[in-house]
Amino acid sequence: YSLPESGDVTLRLLDVTGREVMRSSEREDAGEHEIPIDARNFQPGVYLCQLTFANSRGDVSRVYTKLVVSGTR
């Protein structure tokens, strides 16, 4: 993901029941970033990824996408 300015970034992964299975929170500088996701211990299925960014002015942005984990390892 790319940030236009410094801020707090939180990534949450939720299973289909809404249970949080992973959370990562970091203070990030402006620029390109990656958050590695090790899905080896996840059950096969579809997960919701919620990426939240909050800048120093209190503006909050959220992006949602899905992660599909297959049954093959």
Side-chain angles (χ1 to χ4, degrees):
Y1 58 93
S2 179
L3 299 178
E5 59 187 304
S6 297
D8 297 316
V9 176
T10 301
L11 173 70
R12 295 176 64 213
L13 261 59
L14 309 168
D15 66 13
V16 294
T17 67
R19 183 178 62 93
E20 185 177 281
V21 295
M22 185 190 130
R23 176 187 287 254
S24 173
S25 296
E26 300 285 334
R27 177 92 180 148
E28 300 281 9
D29 293 328
E32 299 289 322
H33 301 276
E34 292 182 5
I35 299 175
I37 298 173
D38 183 358
R40 288 180 288 184
N41 294 322
F42 292 179
Q43 294 295 317
V46 177
Y47 294 82
L48 176 68
C49 300
Q50 177 192 59
L51 185 68
T52 303
F53 170 71
N55 64 21
S56 61
R57 294 182 306 277
D59 300 328
V60 176
S61 299
R62 281 197 180 92
V63 175
Y64 295 90
T65 190
K66 68 179 176 182
L67 170 70
V68 178
V69 177
S70 67
T72 58
R73 298 183 195 260

